[in-house]
């Protein structure tokens, strides 16, 4: 199946600190999606990146897609307690038929 | 309201007793999936369906069956559940590979 590594597995930060999670693929991707899952909840779509080198922002969240379309990152500036949850990347290959997810990064924010 | 519904939300059963988890979406999506989520392993796709009467295996299909007789419904069937199928299950739908997936609320299954 799709080889994708997501790091770190866990991150504990103080409220106000920044946070970054990385998703690295062994193969070139067509596009990549990011999801957030709150504790006890279901995954919710955040964004999709399609173009090489693409950068998208959603308020304090910045998403990047690497130039080679093999890696991606999600950066949160000045975390808040509402950012708590697990963040998953979902890399999508050409000739897509199956969905794969990274193992997720669990973020805990201390107030 | 666009949504994916699953039932039941919680289920405790015994080894070998057949069960079905239902999934329904109201967005006219062609693509539907079932996932299981286990600690440290993320979300793993069990089965998917790209349209009515078209189903295919995901990464972890052993011990599961699905059917897609109608576009909106995609039930997950465990013919003979075993304790290693204790997990959190999510159904999801989307309109194609360039579109977001919508997830159901999840079904927590315990097999004793």
């Amino acid at each position: 199946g799709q080889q994708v590594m997501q790091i770190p597995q866990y991150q504990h930060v103080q409220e106000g600190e920044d946070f970054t999670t990385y998703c690295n693929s062994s193969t070139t991707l067509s596009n990549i999606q990011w999801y957030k899952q709150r504790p006890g909840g279901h995954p919710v779509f955040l964004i999709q990146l399609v173009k090489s080198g693409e950068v998208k922002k959603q308020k304090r969240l910045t998403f990047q897609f690497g130039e080679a379309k093999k890696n991606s990152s999600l950066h949160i500036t000045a975390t808040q307690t509402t950012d708590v949850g697990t963040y998953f990347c979902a890399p999508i290959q050409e000739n897509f038929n199956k969905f794969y997810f990274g193992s997720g990064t669990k973020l805990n924010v201390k107030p | 309201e666009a949504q994916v519904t699953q039932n039941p939300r919680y289920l405790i059963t015994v080894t070998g007793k057949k069960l079905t988890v239902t999934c329904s979406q109201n967005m006219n999506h062609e693509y539907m999936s079932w996932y299981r989520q286990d600690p440290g392993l993320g979300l793993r796709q069990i089965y998917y369906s790209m349209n009515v009467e078209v189903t295919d295996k995901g990464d972890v299909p052993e011990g599961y069956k699905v059917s897609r007789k109608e576009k909106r419904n995609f039930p997950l069937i465990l013919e003979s559940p075993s304790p290693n199928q204790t997990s959190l299950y999510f159904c999801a739908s989307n309109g194609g590979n360039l579109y977001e997936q919508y997830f159901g609320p999840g079904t927590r299954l315990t097999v004793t």
Side-chain angles (χ1 to χ4, degrees):
Chain A
Q2 167 69 34
Q3 296 292 321
V4 59
M5 178 172 289
Q6 190 172 353
I7 55 172
Q9 191 173 3
Y10 301 97
Q11 186 84 53
H12 301 271
V13 301
Q14 199 72 38
E15 190 171 23
E17 292 181 338
D18 291 358
F19 159 77
T20 304
T21 174
Y22 301 90
C23 189
N24 300 307
S25 170
S26 57
T27 59
T28 302
L29 303 172
S30 172
N31 45 319
I32 192 164
Q33 298 176 343
W34 285 91
Y35 291 78
K36 176 185 178 181
Q37 185 178 19
R38 293 182 186 273
H42 58 275
V44 174
F45 175 83
L46 293 176
I47 208 160
Q48 177 164 263
L49 305 173
V50 180
K51 299 177 183 176
S52 168
E54 188 169 17
V55 178
K56 286 188 175 180
K57 291 190 175 183
Q58 290 179 350
K59 297 182 181 178
R60 294 178 295 102
L61 277 61
T62 302
F63 302 84
Q64 292 189 337
F65 203 8
E67 293 289 342
K69 298 184 76 173
K70 285 187 173 183
N71 53 69
S72 182
S73 65
L74 158 58
H75 179 81
I76 302 178
T77 303
T79 54
Q80 299 175 0
T81 55
T82 54
D83 295 324
V84 166
T86 303
Y87 294 84
F88 294 97
C89 63
I92 298 173
Q93 291 186 304
E94 298 285 349
N95 303 317
F96 151 92
N97 54 9
K98 295 183 183 181
F99 270 106
Y100 296 94
F101 282 81
S103 54
T105 296
K106 188 172 183 179
L107 173 64
N108 187 38
V109 180
K110 297 178 188 175
Chain B
E1 180 191 354
Q3 62 179 353
V4 178
T5 56
Q6 291 179 231
N7 283 291
R9 295 290 313 280
Y10 302 91
L11 180 59
I12 301 174
T13 190
V14 296
T15 300
K17 187 176 181 182
K18 181 179 179 180
L19 66 92
T20 299
V21 184
T22 63
C23 173
S24 182
Q25 51 96 2
N26 63 359
M27 295 166 279
N28 202 36
H29 285 162
E30 292 184 345
Y31 192 104
M32 296 185 75
S33 293
W34 274 103
Y35 296 90
R36 60 177 290 171
Q37 185 173 33
D38 302 289
L41 296 177
L43 291 150
R44 293 180 293 168
Q45 195 176 44
I46 302 170
Y47 267 95
Y48 64 96
S49 169
M50 299 186 80
N51 215 325
V52 176
E53 301 293 357
V54 179
T55 63
D56 212 339
K57 296 178 180 179
D59 270 359
V60 288
E62 292 77 23
Y64 305 94
K65 286 175 60 177
V66 293
S67 69
R68 189 90 181 273
K69 297 177 182 176
E70 306 164 285
K71 199 170 189 178
R72 62 183 293 126
N73 297 322
F74 190 44
L76 178 70
I77 304 155
L78 284 71
E79 294 269 2
S80 182
S82 62
N84 65 11
Q85 292 178 299
T86 292
S87 187
L88 178 58
Y89 291 87
F90 288 102
C91 179
S93 75
N94 71 299
N97 65 328
L98 292 182
Y99 298 94
E100 65 188 273
Q101 289 194 84
Y102 290 82
F103 283 81
T107 296
R108 187 165 291 282
L109 171 66
T110 302
V111 184
T112 62

